[in-house]
Amino acid sequence: MDFDYDLFVIGAGSGGIRLSWMVAISGAKVAVAEQSRVGGTCVIRGCVPKKLLVYASRYGEDLVDAAGYGWQVETRGCSWATLIERKNREIDRLNAAYVGMLETAGVTLCPGRAVIADPHTVVIAHDGRRITARHIVVATGAWPALPSIPGIEHAITSNEALEMRELPRRIAVVGGGYIAVEFAGIFNGLGSQVDLLYRGEQILRGFDDDVRQMLADEMAKKGIAIRNRTSVLALDKATDGTLHTTLDSGGCGDYDAVLFATGRAPNSGGLGLEGAGVALDAKGAVVVDAFSRTSVESIHAIGDVTSRVPLTPVAVSEGAALAATLFGGRPTPADHNNVPSAVFSQPEVGTVGMTEAEARAAFGELDLYKTSFRPMRHTLSGRDERSFMKLVVERASQRVVGAHMVGRDAAEIIQGIAIAVKMGASKAQFDMTVGVHPTSAEEFVTMREPWAPPASPACPVSGDPGLQKS
Ligand code: NDP
């Protein structure tokens, strides 16, 4: 049977771009539909603009800390309008770069919404064009999910938070996951008064418990009011624009903005998936096997729409694996083991492998190594900020099965540690590695004594006193 294209990808986000580019440069005929802007969540309204705002928000503290090093700096604060304008320019540049990259590779871009009509046909919604393809891949990502409470229409999500006209003087951030914690840090760093309202016991559920506690303590030191066990029951908007929150605790609060970061739902509606026979799970995620194949042989799905591990680099690696499977003659399953990740909170969190609780459930006996110290940078700045690192070691094999950090540059540091964990390095191999001195990162290879809970009320401080860490 003849098809218009070998591959039709719905969604030009991180996964869809990588897949369509790889397949096109191998010589196959590829088209990709995008209803918004090429780049998807990560580039247009996620990781990239968020990280730029994180950078911006750190300068306030850095300028204060510089005084400890003799700098005499006067600041009149950050211009939100300038920041957003410059961020938008950078996003435009990246969007154009991705469009150029796809076009150079020979990918046909189909602006608009594509709907699956049958296992080999899509229809472009606005002009009714029918396009056939040997393989169809759904890479439509996810979208912020909001609870249905009265007044929720007054809330914003991370999408709007990146585009606000003014920096809110007072903001409530609802949720305790990646996005909530990151935006709480951004707004706090830029000078807003921030309340973080989380329904659970402690922020960052699913992360190592020591990391959660440490980050909550450090965020509180910076002035973020974390209110755990708190849910918003309703929002009201006053005539002056003030948002009034009613809380389940009986309390309330007034804000200029209320940001809900309460998770993301797969973009699987209205795509014709059910009609074509593609199975979805109870939450609307496309069900796939290890090779990203759906219940229909010619239709695959990658990235956040499958709700496997909703991270950009994972979507990219799923796209690359699928290109190898469908067009490279090398069936390659997606690999979701030991995926490192970072939360760009302030300070940052970096993590790879198992939490202590996960490892205990899997292996029973563990050796734990922990260190908490004031980084050298803050000896002269005087800032009361501590860093924390933890290694989780399976006792029987002495394999490092988890590494966790809270502290400046944790994201950068954990990337290197992740290679060792992925390779199955033992604690002895960590110990064998010479540290880079003087750094915080060297603590990962100098923690010698296992942590002993009853005897040590506080985490032992390891390492060389010459490091000036304390
Ligand atoms: P998460 O799933 O990480 O967190 C959602 C939070 O909202 C949780 O704290 C959850 O509470 C809470 N929540 C869910 N529903 C409700 C509700 N009805 N009322 C009140 N609170 C609620 O989602 P995010 O939106 O933060 O991020 C989505 C995904 O995007 C992440 O899982 C991550 O994979 C990815 N991401 C990655 C980033 C990175 O790599 N740095 C940055 C940003 C996003 P509870 O814990 O009780 O369930």
Side-chain angles (χ1 to χ4, degrees):
M1 192 175 160
D2 269 354
F3 297 102
D4 299 328
Y5 290 95
D6 299 309
L7 171 69
F8 193 97
V9 181
I10 307 178
S14 301
I17 289 175
R18 175 56 61 99
L19 170 67
S20 46
W21 178 78
M22 285 185 72
V23 174
I25 59 169
S26 76
K29 211 173 160 203
V30 181
V32 56
E34 172 55 55
Q35 65 175 9
S36 175
R37 299 180 73 192
V38 169
T41 298
C42 175
V43 175
I44 307 296
R45 64 192 87 84
C47 325
V48 175
K50 179 274 310 284
K51 185 85 187 275
L52 294 174
L53 265 53
V54 169
Y55 283 132
S57 66
R58 285 181 186 161
Y59 280 104
E61 275 196 355
D62 288 352
L63 289 166
V64 171
D65 290 354
Y69 287 84
W71 285 89
Q72 296 163 32
V73 184
E74 271 183 46
T75 167
R76 281 178 291 151
C78 178
S79 161
W80 174 260
T82 305
L83 171 60
I84 296 302
E85 195 267 323
R86 292 185 63 83
K87 178 270 289 178
N88 287 345
R89 248 195 280 162
E90 173 57 9
I91 301 311
D92 290 346
R93 187 190 70 79
L94 283 172
N95 166 250
Y98 278 111
V99 170
M101 187 183 102
L102 291 176
E103 286 176 347
T104 306
V107 175
T108 303
L109 286 172
C110 303
R113 183 172 181 78
V115 177
I116 297 175
D118 68 45
H120 290 285
T121 309
V122 299
V123 176
I124 305 297
H126 66 271
D127 59 12
R129 226 172 354 133
R130 294 177 76 82
I131 298 171
T132 60
R134 181 178 305 279
H135 299 286
I136 295 171
V137 175
V138 182
T140 47
W143 198 251
L146 292 167
S148 28
I149 57 168
I152 192 67
E153 66 278 9
H154 302 307
I156 58 169
T157 70
S158 54
N159 293 347
E160 295 79 35
L162 295 163
E163 301 294 341
M164 277 189 290
R165 285 181 180 208
E166 286 175 13
L167 182 69
R169 198 168 57 78
R170 305 157 300 175
I171 184 167
V173 180
V174 184
Y178 283 81
I179 296 179
V181 165
E182 292 181 342
F183 275 92
I186 289 170
F187 286 113
N188 178 63
L190 290 172
S192 305
Q193 176 201 311
V194 181
D195 288 353
L196 182 67
L197 311 177
Y198 175 51
R199 66 182 179 181
E201 288 295 316
Q202 184 58 281
I203 56 168
L204 288 187
R205 187 166 62 82
F207 283 71
D208 188 89
D209 286 341
D210 285 331
V211 166
R212 299 167 73 190
Q213 185 63 51
M214 180 80 187
L215 179 65
D217 291 348
E218 293 299 319
M219 287 173 69
K221 280 190 211 167
K222 292 181 192 295
I224 297 172
I226 301 180
R227 299 171 70 174
N228 292 330
R229 296 177 294 279
T230 301
S231 291
V232 179
L233 297 181
L235 283 176
D236 296 293
K237 190 169 188 172
T239 44
D240 68 353
T242 300
L243 295 176
H244 181 78
T245 55
T246 306
L247 308 177
D248 61 347
S249 55
C252 57
D254 286 341
Y255 304 96
D256 303 306
V258 178
L259 163 56
F260 271 74
T262 44
R264 296 173 63 84
N267 274 331
S268 58
L271 288 173
L273 289 168
E274 292 99 327
V278 174
L280 306 180
D281 73 10
K283 292 186 171 165
V286 178
V287 178
V288 289
D289 67 11
F291 297 90
S292 298
R293 191 167 69 178
T294 72
S295 49
V296 177
E297 192 161 358
S298 60
I299 303 179
H300 291 71
I302 56 172
D304 289 7
V305 75
T306 66
S307 287
R308 286 178 283 183
V309 181
L311 295 170
T312 292
V314 174
V316 168
S317 72
E318 288 168 0
L322 186 55
T325 300
L326 296 181
F327 294 91
R330 285 172 286 118
T332 307
D335 180 1
H336 298 123
N337 277 328
N338 286 322
V339 172
S341 80
V343 186
F344 294 99
S345 47
Q346 300 179 37
E348 286 176 0
V349 172
T351 181
V352 60
M354 293 180 175
T355 65
E356 178 183 340
E358 288 166 347
R360 207 171 284 293
F363 306 118
E365 296 288 295
L366 304 176
D367 288 336
L368 302 172
Y369 296 82
K370 305 187 197 184
T371 178
S372 165
F373 56 92
R374 183 160 80 156
M376 188 177 183
R377 172 189 169 84
H378 292 315
T379 53
L380 296 200
S381 79
R383 182 171 297 283
D384 175 23
E385 181 176 303
R386 296 186 74 76
S387 293
F388 172 77
M389 291 168 179
K390 177 171 180 177
L391 289 176
V392 180
V393 179
E394 181 195 1
R395 182 166 293 165
S397 68
Q398 282 300 296
R399 200 162 48 95
V400 177
V401 293
H404 310 277
M405 174 173 177
V406 181
R408 200 177 178 100
D409 299 326
E412 305 286 348
I413 292 168
I414 210 70
Q415 181 68 83
I417 300 293
I419 301 171
V421 173
K422 183 84 182 164
M423 291 176 71
S426 66
K427 178 63 171 65
Q429 287 167 322
F430 271 63
D431 294 347
M432 228 179 257
T433 306
V434 173
V436 177
H437 185 73
T439 62
S440 291
E442 67 184 314
E443 295 284 324
F444 267 127
V445 295
T446 55
M447 289 187 273
R448 293 285 184 262
E449 294 300 318
W451 182 70
S456 324
C459 297
V461 175
S462 65
D464 178 350
L467 285 178
Q468 299 287 312
K469 298 169 193 157
S470 58

